[in-house]
Amino acid sequence: TNSFPTNLGSRKWSNVSARMRPAMAEATSSLTYQKFVQFALEETRNHTHLAPSSLQERFGSLSAMDGRTQLQVQSFESPKIRLLRSLSIEGSDGMQVLDFAIFPRAEFDLPIFCANFFTTSAINIVVLDLNPLHDVISQHDYKKKYYTHLIPLGLKYGELLPWGGRITAESMKFFSPIVIWTKFPASEQKHHLLYSAFVDYLKSWLELMDRASGETDASRIMVNLEAQHKYLTWRAEKDPGHQVLRKLVGEIHAKEIIKSFLFSGVDELGSRTFIDYFPEYKCDDGTVNQKRSMIGKSFQSRPWDTRGEFIGDSLS
Ligand code: BLA
């Protein structure tokens, strides 16, 4: 049966009639994310030496319980990169997932490169961003250092790949003024457009990396470390991919992939807990509220203006 992944609760994005799906899957299933990963590794190697990460051995031979879905992982490090890792999934039913991220070493306050694409035969859910390590709404210097020159790039793709509508409000704190948050029905043209956006965003990140010089001040390194740990803590706890991974590899392996591969460092880079960072999620019994969002979904339209100024409701 065609029950996966369209049976993940009552998802609005599965509103294409069941009869349509096989044809669309056939037409678009060749649109994989392999080319994205290939480009990213080649292009990154033009800028730095990538050494295999020790995670590769541990997670290199993942397989799905259905025996058909393909899971592929890549992981590397370099002098400025703590971890570059990629998880791509090709389902037998047309599902395609790419979760690609680059985490800088703590000496660098570089943004975190983030590409998250979830695709079924009916819909694509896309986040592409240079996630800011520090607050871009209040810290003008940080914004100027990494984003001001990229605003035109963000505007270009923001028009071609329009804002995806209301989103978990908490997520906005982790997004930059050039974030691409979009949803669209499967389409070859959009797939190519997304590829160009991915190429341009990655090239931009690599240029920032080339220019970055390592911090030597121990207290500033600590601030970077804590910011990255907070980011990892958020994503390891609330990433929307949990449910899909659980279905594919089971609860135990899903947790391991999330903690030790996708968001590797969450147990090592700091000792603060999710509740320490996000106390609003604390239940009366002290456990973490399982809701993804305490605020709810918000930001129907893009909360950044064309100059990259935040114009949404306050996030605190
Ligand atoms: C949906 N993924 C989403 C949404 C966002 C993201 C914003 C829309 C739902 C929402 O508003 O929360 C992505 N959220 C992010 C990212 C950050 C964030 C990148 O806070 C960074 C800070 N997505 C994946 C992977 C899978 C996946 C690996 O990255 C599957 C293995 C699935 N994402 C997925 C699914 C949905 C989704 C199934 C739609 C269902 C849902 O909303 O829960």
Side-chain angles (χ1 to χ4, degrees):
T1 61
N2 182 20
S3 63
F4 181 78
T6 41
N7 66 344
L8 298 169
S10 56
R11 299 304 182 195
K12 288 183 219 77
W13 43 263
S14 59
N15 61 359
V16 170
S17 84
R19 239 169 4 96
M20 287 283 291
R21 266 182 231 128
M24 289 179 65
E26 209 177 308
T28 54
S29 63
S30 59
L31 305 175
T32 78
Y33 292 121
Q34 291 313 314
K35 205 173 92 169
F36 292 58
V37 178
Q38 247 170 43
F39 167 80
L41 297 182
E42 273 171 34
E43 186 64 18
T44 307
R45 286 192 171 106
N46 290 335
H47 291 253
T48 188
H49 174 73
L50 286 181
S53 148
S54 59
L55 296 178
Q56 195 61 34
E57 214 174 309
R58 200 167 144 205
F59 292 94
S61 53
L62 278 177
S63 57
M65 296 189 300
D66 66 6
R68 295 194 296 174
T69 301
Q70 297 291 320
L71 294 148
Q72 282 183 338
V73 303
Q74 301 278 355
S75 50
F76 299 92
E77 55 182 63
S78 83
K80 293 182 183 178
I81 296 171
R82 180 180 68 82
L83 175 64
L84 176 160
R85 76 350 172 236
S86 168
L87 168 67
S88 46
I89 304 176
E90 288 183 41
S92 46
D93 54 1
M95 179 182 76
Q96 304 275 347
V97 177
L98 178 66
D99 183 342
F100 185 101
I102 312 179
F103 300 99
R105 292 193 193 275
E107 289 78 9
F108 302 89
D109 66 356
L110 282 165
I112 294 163
F113 181 84
C114 165
N116 277 77
F117 309 148
F118 176 78
T119 300
T120 67
S121 48
I123 195 83
N124 286 263
I125 299 177
V126 166
V127 174
L128 175 63
D129 193 22
L130 313 189
N131 289 156
L133 192 65
H134 300 303
D135 185 338
V136 270
I137 297 167
S138 65
Q139 296 190 30
H140 291 273
D141 290 351
Y142 187 76
K143 186 162 120 188
K144 223 170 132 187
K145 184 172 177 185
Y146 290 121
Y147 297 100
T148 301
H149 72 289
L150 294 175
I151 299 292
L153 181 74
L155 285 175
K156 173 182 157 188
Y157 285 111
E159 260 172 46
L160 297 167
L161 296 163
W163 189 253
R166 293 191 329 133
I167 186 171
T168 299
E170 285 85 351
S171 291
M172 279 313 295
K173 282 187 223 172
F174 300 99
F175 292 172
S176 85
I178 63 164
V179 65
I180 295 173
W181 152 239
T182 192
K183 288 191 256 186
F184 52 83
S187 126
E188 197 169 335
Q189 187 224 343
K190 283 283 175 82
H191 186 81
H192 294 314
L193 192 54
L194 187 60
Y195 180 71
S196 326
F198 180 84
V199 165
D200 285 350
Y201 274 55
L202 183 74
K203 284 182 169 172
S204 302
W205 189 87
L206 290 168
E207 280 163 21
L208 295 176
M209 179 192 77
D210 288 345
R211 290 209 302 267
S213 51
E215 191 63 67
T216 50
D217 180 321
S219 68
R220 298 185 72 150
I221 294 175
M222 273 311 293
V223 172
N224 293 342
L225 195 62
E226 171 141 318
Q228 190 167 146
H229 187 247
K230 181 177 182 180
Y231 177 94
L232 292 167
T233 303
W234 165 255
R235 294 204 58 190
E237 184 71 36
K238 296 298 177 191
D239 209 66
H242 284 198
Q243 220 180 342
V244 179
L245 284 175
R246 193 177 303 140
K247 286 206 165 198
L248 285 175
V249 298
E251 175 72 13
I252 292 167
H253 290 303
K255 281 205 160 131
E256 202 180 304
I257 293 169
I258 287 165
K259 272 185 149 232
S260 307
F261 182 78
L262 293 178
F263 306 113
S264 171
V266 68
D267 288 338
E268 295 84 19
L269 299 189
S271 53
R272 296 184 73 191
T273 65
F274 184 85
I275 296 288
D276 291 337
Y277 290 124
F278 309 100
E280 63 278 19
Y281 282 83
K282 188 175 177 178
C283 293
D284 289 341
D285 64 359
T287 58
V288 175
N289 196 317
Q290 291 304 298
K291 284 202 262 185
R292 168 106 46 80
S293 177
M294 299 310 292
I295 309 176
K297 294 214 179 190
S298 184
F299 307 111
Q300 177 61 42
S301 55
R302 190 177 185 84
W304 304 91
D305 72 11
T306 53
R307 290 175 305 134
E309 296 295 328
F310 190 73
I311 50 167
D313 291 340
S314 158
L315 287 169
S316 51

